[in-house]
Amino acid sequence: MAQTPKDTLEHSEVVQQSDSLEKGDQANNKYRSEYDDEDRAPEARGRDADEMAPGYWLSSRFLGSMAAIGLGFCGGTGGYALIAPVLNDINDDIGPSDNIAWVSIVYILSEAVFFLLVGRLSDVFGRRWFFIVGSLISMVGSIVGAVAQNVNTLIAAEVLIGIAAAFQISFYWVISELVPMKWRYVANSYAYMVSIPTNPLAAKIAFAFQKTPVKWRGSFYFMTGVNALSALCWFLFYHPPTFKMLHRKKAAMDLFLHFDWMGLVLYTGSLTVFLLALSWGGQLYPWSDPHVVGCIVTGGIALFLVFPAWELWLQRRGKDTFLPLHLFTNRVYQACVWITGIGAATYYGFSLVWPQAVITLYSIDSYDRLGTLSGVVAMCFVFGQMFGGLLATVIGPRWTVISMTWIAAPIYIACAANPLNLTLTMGLITTGSLAIGASEAVAATTTTFRLRTQEELGTAGGLSGAIRSFVSALATSIYSTVLANRLTTTVPQYVGPAAENAGLPSRSVPALIAGLQGSGPLSQSAVPGLTSAINATAAQAYKYANSEAYKTVFYTSFAFGGAGMILAWLILDNDKSKYGLVAGHVHNPKNEKTLETVPAAENA
């Protein structure tokens, strides 16, 4: 078929554009690394922001991609944050079920396992369809959750939502790829801002839905819409380099056959088993239970011994490994990754523990107030994430992380001063959450700078996300176990004597404690000798017993915060000479075929 003048003109413009990109690529040697893949087409390589096409930053494909990323992040966070605060209400509605704890467990587990897969595979095979599919999976999960009639169906929904979250919460390195390095911190602050309804305000919105006819299902309806819109934006606007742009001289089948699939299987299998054990321990089973011990031993050996040994063996044979091992010798990168994990440990750990404290320690008679107080940790953490990006842009990441970490860790310990004092505890926990949120966000973004090549951004981001989730699961397990163990001591220690001194027969104390904990009725027939006066005295003692247990949880937080205070000193400021680099960008899909078939350097 003969080309029309219009076709010829468009082809010529694309060739000229590609030639220009090639020349610009050659001129940008200051951004090049000895590790960069020369097999990439010029369109798939990083370049200076000044060389971007006029109007690119206001183009529909760039702004639409940013919208897709922000909406995707909303979907990833909301699928968990909107459900966690009302989990007990959900269990009352479609349960009761002993499996309700799995709703939270499977989300964190699925997210952790898939983080590295998303980053590594999208580095190799291209990003576009990974993120489209991610939002579609989250949409399906939200629909399943919205129509769930039992807890097991809800668990299945959260498995899908957790898998999708690994795509959606990878926003920080996807955004970092699209904007100049100088503006990465600000761009990530934008994503946190978009997530306000499903992240910092999630608890308040969740309780607000509880006052509507649809109740908690409203959160899933809302998430279905958010994920559908996100998937649409990914599909319409997000056109990063395709596989053919990433690999001009390699066939897809060749890469597929030589990919380290054994490493992928070892990693996903061992991490799943190990995290499963951490999630079980102290919650579903005692730590000494064979289920827990067996999974910790098996998963630990496979994850920390067998998998690294396989990767080392493969590397020595000159083969590409699933996980580039040089990332573990990158000191600054590793410091940033683990500080990110420590920040997330606070978010996830206290997002579960603090709402329990609010319900148990304080007399809250309003759903609105309960939603506000329960969500204060998440609110301040995310507001800190927004603030941290702006601060790092001004003073640099090093002193931002050091100052915020050194503020947060001691403040969380100070929360143990008097947990029954709502005003004091709220003042401390909000300040600490703001500071640790700022530290976490800046550390996460800084992981995208300290790489030997920006072409491994997805892999490095995926590993960072996996470690973040690993530390979160560990912290959540530790906090829950510490709280449960302390309550078994403090409740009998304070409630029994107080009730007996008020006149309750000692034989009625176990039934009284069961009633106060919600595992039995709290009535005169169930608790012989109970009076309103004894009940009031016992309730006060029960609050005090809980406050003593929560003190230990706040003390325990320093195990993470103290480590962060040390790691913070390993972080360095970024190389400002590379601040103009745009690691990747989105192209006009109309020119895609031509850009794939016109390697300008070879046709010059």
Side-chain angles (χ1 to χ4, degrees), residues 72-358:
F73 183 41
C74 278
T77 55
Y80 173 80
L82 287 171
I83 304 305
V86 294
L87 212 49
N88 289 333
D89 293 335
I90 295 174
N91 197 31
D92 291 339
D93 190 13
I94 60 175
S97 171
D98 294 336
N99 293 329
I100 192 66
W102 281 97
V103 174
S104 298
I105 291 172
V106 297
Y107 173 88
I108 296 174
L109 181 66
S110 303
E111 178 187 75
V113 170
F114 276 82
F115 260 125
L116 183 55
L117 273 69
V118 173
R120 183 71 176 115
L121 293 177
S122 68
D123 268 352
V124 176
F125 297 105
R127 309 211 193 283
R128 175 172 157 78
W129 283 102
F130 279 92
F131 291 97
I132 294 172
V133 171
S135 285
L136 290 175
I137 292 173
S138 190
M139 183 182 73
V140 172
S142 299
I143 293 172
V144 173
V147 300
Q149 298 299 319
N150 54 65
V151 171
N152 288 339
T153 303
L154 188 65
I155 292 170
E158 286 298 324
V159 169
L160 294 174
I161 292 170
I163 291 172
F167 298 78
Q168 297 168 310
I169 301 180
S170 294
F171 76 94
Y172 63 93
W173 57 264
V174 181
I175 280 187
S176 294
E177 190 172 49
L178 296 184
V179 301
M181 294 181 87
K182 179 180 180 179
W183 300 113
R184 285 182 177 180
Y185 295 104
V186 174
N188 279 312
S189 292
Y190 143 78
Y192 293 120
M193 212 172 295
V194 175
S195 75
I196 285 176
T198 60
N199 209 349
L201 298 183
K204 194 167 183 65
I205 290 176
F207 284 113
F209 272 124
Q210 285 297 94
K211 296 189 294 184
T212 69
V214 294
K215 295 187 177 181
W216 54 271
R217 297 181 191 275
S219 295
F220 283 115
Y221 295 146
F222 177 49
M223 284 295 92
T224 300
V226 169
N227 286 306
L229 185 57
S230 173
L232 184 63
C233 287
W234 285 118
F235 180 78
L236 292 177
F237 304 113
Y238 185 62
H239 293 275
T242 64
F243 176 85
K244 291 183 179 179
M245 294 179 195
L246 295 173
H247 308 285
R248 290 185 293 179
K249 302 175 184 178
K250 296 176 184 176
M253 183 56 68
D254 186 57
L255 283 172
F256 181 84
L257 293 175
H258 290 88
F259 188 79
D260 180 16
W261 297 108
M262 178 60 73
L264 184 151
V265 171
L266 285 171
Y267 167 79
T268 54
S270 59
L271 183 62
T272 300
V273 172
F274 192 76
L275 289 180
L276 202 58
L278 290 181
S279 302
W280 279 344
Q283 297 187 64
L284 300 179
Y285 301 101
W287 283 103
S288 58
D289 189 277
H291 293 83
V292 178
V293 175
C295 286
I296 284 181
V297 173
T298 305
I301 291 174
L303 182 62
F304 300 114
L305 294 177
V306 178
F307 173 59
W310 166 261
E311 297 294 89
L312 280 170
W313 179 78
L314 209 60
Q315 180 176 273
R316 288 175 180 174
R317 294 185 64 201
K319 305 292 185 180
D320 289 335
T321 58
F322 172 68
L323 179 58
L325 297 179
H326 66 83
L327 290 172
F328 290 97
T329 61
N330 186 330
R331 187 190 68 183
V332 178
Y333 168 80
Q334 284 293 319
C336 291
V337 165
W338 288 97
I339 287 177
T340 299
I342 288 168
T346 302
Y347 173 73
Y348 284 107
F350 281 90
S351 289
L352 290 175
V353 171
W354 176 248
Q356 298 175 39
V358 171

Side-chain angles (χ1 to χ4, degrees), residues 3 5-23 41-43 47 53 61 245 585 587-601 603:
Q3 287 184 319
K6 181 180 179 181
D7 292 333
T8 305
L9 179 60
E10 288 181 354
H11 181 84
S12 175
E13 288 176 347
V14 173
V15 171
Q16 291 174 9
Q17 175 188 1
S18 188
D19 287 340
S20 176
L21 289 171
E22 180 74 30
K23 293 175 182 177
E43 182 71 15
R47 65 196 69 265
R61 61 184 186 273
M245 294 179 195
H585 54 285
H587 57 262
N588 188 334
K590 293 180 179 179
N591 301 332
E592 190 167 280
K593 294 299 181 183
T594 307
L595 291 170
E596 289 176 341
T597 56
V598 183
N603 290 319

Side-chain angles (χ1 to χ4, degrees), residues 30-58:
K30 66 177 180 178
Y31 297 139
R32 302 293 288 168
S33 162
E34 62 179 300
Y35 302 104
D36 286 348
D37 186 2
E38 296 299 331
D39 188 34
R40 288 181 173 233
E43 182 71 15
R45 298 177 188 172
R47 65 196 69 265
D48 196 280
D50 293 338
E51 296 175 1
M52 303 303 291
Y56 172 79
W57 302 110
L58 295 177

Side-chain angles (χ1 to χ4, degrees), residues 553-568:
V553 175
F554 285 123
Y555 289 138
T556 304
S557 71
F558 194 69
F560 296 96
M565 293 172 71
I566 297 171
L567 288 171

